Amino acid sequence: MLSKSLVFLKKNNLFRDIKNRDSSQGSRIIIGGKEYINFSSNDYLGLANHPALIRAAQQAMKKFGFGSGASRLLCGGSILHAELEEKIAKFKETESALVFNSGYAANTGIIPAIAEEGDAIFSDQLNHASIVDGCRLSRAKTYIYRHKDTANLENLIRKTKSRRKIVVTDSVFSMDGDIAPLKEIYDICLALNATRCTPDTLLYTDDAHATGVIGKGKGSLEHFGIKPEPWIIQMGTFSKALGSFGAFAAGSKDVIDWTVNIARSFIFSTALPPCIIAASIAALELIEKKPVLIKKLLANRDKTAKGLTKLGYDIMGSETPIIPVKTGSIESTLKASRYLLKKGIFAPAIRPPAVKEPRLRITVTAAHTDEDIEKLIKALGSL
Ligand SMILES: *Cc1c(COP(=O)(O)O)cnc(C)c1O
């Protein structure tokens, strides 16, 4: 039935296929019996296969079994879920926190819950697809501001008459690896809230690639020294730097209570199994206990970014371990990715519609060795 559309994708080099690993996630992976140095995962701290996470999951399985059997509101959650939420609230210095089944579920659940009919959402042009979908599901009107352009944002906010205003942004952009100007965005929201008796401007940050990476692991607010005000909602994931699975929202008790009652992706979905929650708890403890992990990550990131820039590559404004490498057309990007594969390096070609400009998306982790990084730079040097 869709064969014509599929032919179109294939003709235009837009067809994607799934690559399945034969190994655990890590800096080395095996695909189809061949080993590659992996520059494609978001497992920034190399925790996805860490013994502490595996042990925590195994112990939780012994006590709680495997499946969770129901949604949180129907007793699908465990005391581990509550423990993780308490830990997150403490970590983020907020009154309250809530665990979600994934970052995708968090964004498509929370945004429609807090942005109702008559409200306005202001969303960065390069926000993650799950934010875009959250905005689409909301009955509020969405205004897209130019990427990181706070003058454009402020102008749109001032021109818009609405009850509640909600600014939504990735704090680290997932395909460009740059950081949102959160201090300026915070100041705009603060000024608006200061002129009214009740706060009606909210700031929603998506820390999926910031948690465990910037701000000594605590994420974007810590990175910019911003106070977690009650009108800020911090969303983050356990699935990237924390090597586990699932997501969270941290904010005021009112916002979290409202979310529990209204967010459909929270209410109508089965709770995460306790063993996954236990692994997330272990990962949070690890990043607090071992700051050396983040140091190593950032050192590896700098080494890679410097090496690629020196070769003359455009890394498109990257400031984080996500390093896009501009490679021109879709065809030349695919060619570059295939060339690296032949050299034993896995770095995916990212094409439209995921991004406007095709690129290789290199992600560096704390688990990469100097030799891994040198091999990548050498291979890209000979491209
Ligand atoms: C990955 C990602 C998500 C989705 O998180 P999952 O836990 O993978 O569903 C949301 N927002 C951003 C910015 C992301 O990069």
Side-chain angles (χ1 to χ4, degrees), residues 102-104 107 128 130 170 172 174 206 208-209 235 237 239-240 246-247:
S102 70
Y104 191 88
N107 285 337
H128 191 259
S130 55
D170 278 22
V172 170
S174 56
D206 178 336
H209 295 278
M235 171 272 180
T237 60
S239 49
K240 287 166 179 157

Side-chain angles (χ1 to χ4, degrees), residues 21-290:
R21 274 180 288 119
D22 265 331
S23 64
S24 61
Q25 182 63 274
S27 61
R28 305 279 166 146
I29 48 172
I30 297 171
I31 302 170
K34 197 176 164 210
E35 190 183 83
Y36 297 94
I37 309 173
N38 181 18
F39 285 100
S40 74
S41 95
N42 303 313
D43 178 27
Y44 298 115
L45 300 173
L47 299 187
N49 195 29
H50 194 286
L53 272 70
I54 297 168
R55 212 179 313 120
Q58 283 169 335
Q59 277 167 2
M61 249 190 280
K62 270 191 203 138
K63 175 160 181 198
F64 294 96
F66 187 74
S68 64
S71 71
R72 287 292 292 289
L73 292 171
L74 295 180
C75 218
S78 67
I79 51 172
L80 292 181
H81 290 70
E83 185 186 330
L84 178 58
E85 284 163 350
E86 235 168 77
K87 277 207 151 72
I88 284 291
K90 211 166 153 200
F91 185 67
K92 291 283 184 180
E93 295 169 46
T94 57
E95 274 179 1
S96 197
L98 185 66
V99 169
F100 274 82
N101 288 3
S102 70
Y104 191 88
N107 285 337
T108 52
I110 302 168
I111 295 170
I114 57 174
E116 301 170 286
E117 196 155 359
D119 296 343
I121 304 172
F122 302 88
S123 175
D124 187 288
Q125 181 188 6
L126 293 190
N127 275 345
H128 191 259
S130 55
I131 292 180
V132 174
D133 291 359
C135 295
R136 284 182 185 155
L137 282 172
S138 156
R139 291 180 199 273
K141 190 158 166 36
T142 301
Y143 299 85
I144 311 289
Y145 60 92
R146 285 192 296 270
H147 181 48
K148 298 204 297 188
D149 185 339
T150 49
N152 185 210
L153 168 65
E154 191 164 15
N155 195 19
L156 280 173
I157 289 184
R158 297 219 176 270
K159 274 205 309 224
T160 305
K161 286 204 175 40
S162 68
R163 207 174 48 126
R164 190 180 290 149
K165 292 172 177 163
I166 300 141
V167 181
V168 184
T169 185
D170 278 22
S171 39
V172 170
F173 290 89
S174 56
M175 293 297 151
D176 291 67
D178 53 347
I179 300 176
L182 268 190
K183 186 68 177 71
E184 286 87 346
I185 296 175
Y186 167 87
D187 286 340
I188 292 170
C189 297
L190 184 71
L192 282 170
N193 281 330
T195 56
R196 323 232 161 187
C197 10
T198 51
D200 63 352
T201 302
L202 298 176
L203 171 58
Y204 182 95
T205 59
D206 178 336
D207 264 14
H209 295 278
T211 309
V213 178
I214 63 172
K216 298 199 175 80
K218 283 180 182 269
S220 57
L221 294 202
E222 174 88 8
H223 177 80
F224 286 101
I226 296 172
K227 193 169 145 240
E229 311 272 1
W231 44 267
I232 302 178
I233 303 158
Q234 303 177 61
M235 171 272 180
T237 60
F238 299 112
S239 49
K240 287 166 179 157
L242 294 178
S244 179
F245 190 74
F248 63 83
S252 74
K253 185 162 183 317
D254 284 353
V255 164
I256 298 300
D257 285 351
W258 178 254
T259 303
V260 167
N261 281 276
I262 303 295
R264 293 163 69 86
S265 67
F266 176 80
I267 300 170
F268 298 105
S269 194
T270 302
L272 286 178
C275 59
I276 289 173
I277 302 293
S280 298
I281 293 174
L284 260 188
E285 286 170 354
L286 258 180
I287 63 165
E288 292 198 285
K289 262 192 280 181
K290 296 206 168 175

